[in-house]
Amino acid sequence: MAENHYKFNVTMTCGGCSGAVERVLKKLEGVKSYNVSLESQTAEITAETSLEYDTVLGKIKKTGKKVNSGEKDGETMAV
């Protein structure tokens, strides 16, 4: 099955911040796997092709964290 790879640079200052991002990704339908790193300030997501980039971006933004940049399958996308 085909999949998309998303990567976001997210401003996270503590474990609570990264935990909030992890919680929304865990609940998001279509997410196959994810890795949120407080140290590198990134959220990397592997998702089914039915899960759009803008949907993932919107969910991360709803946590109140600032998304600095985003990529879809290695291509820079708007945030």
Side-chain angles (χ1 to χ4, degrees):
M1 187 193 298
E3 57 190 25
N4 287 327
H5 300 278
Y6 303 129
K7 183 176 182 179
F8 298 93
N9 176 277
V10 184
T11 300
M12 298 177 283
T13 56
C14 65
C17 295
S18 58
V21 174
E22 286 180 2
R23 283 191 296 280
V24 297
L25 293 175
K26 182 168 61 174
K27 294 178 185 175
L28 191 54
E29 192 172 323
V31 171
K32 291 182 170 185
S33 65
Y34 60 87
N35 180 39
V36 178
S37 172
L38 179 60
E39 187 176 308
S40 66
Q41 301 283 293
T42 58
E44 297 186 43
I45 301 101
T46 300
E48 296 173 5
T49 55
S50 60
L51 182 57
E52 295 291 328
Y53 170 87
D54 288 334
T55 302
V56 180
L57 175 63
K59 288 291 184 182
I60 294 173
K61 283 184 171 183
K62 274 191 168 180
T63 66
K65 308 300 160 230
K66 182 176 188 301
V67 178
N68 301 301
S69 64
E71 295 177 7
K72 174 183 177 183
D73 299 324
E75 183 179 327
T76 301
M77 302 289 286
V79 293

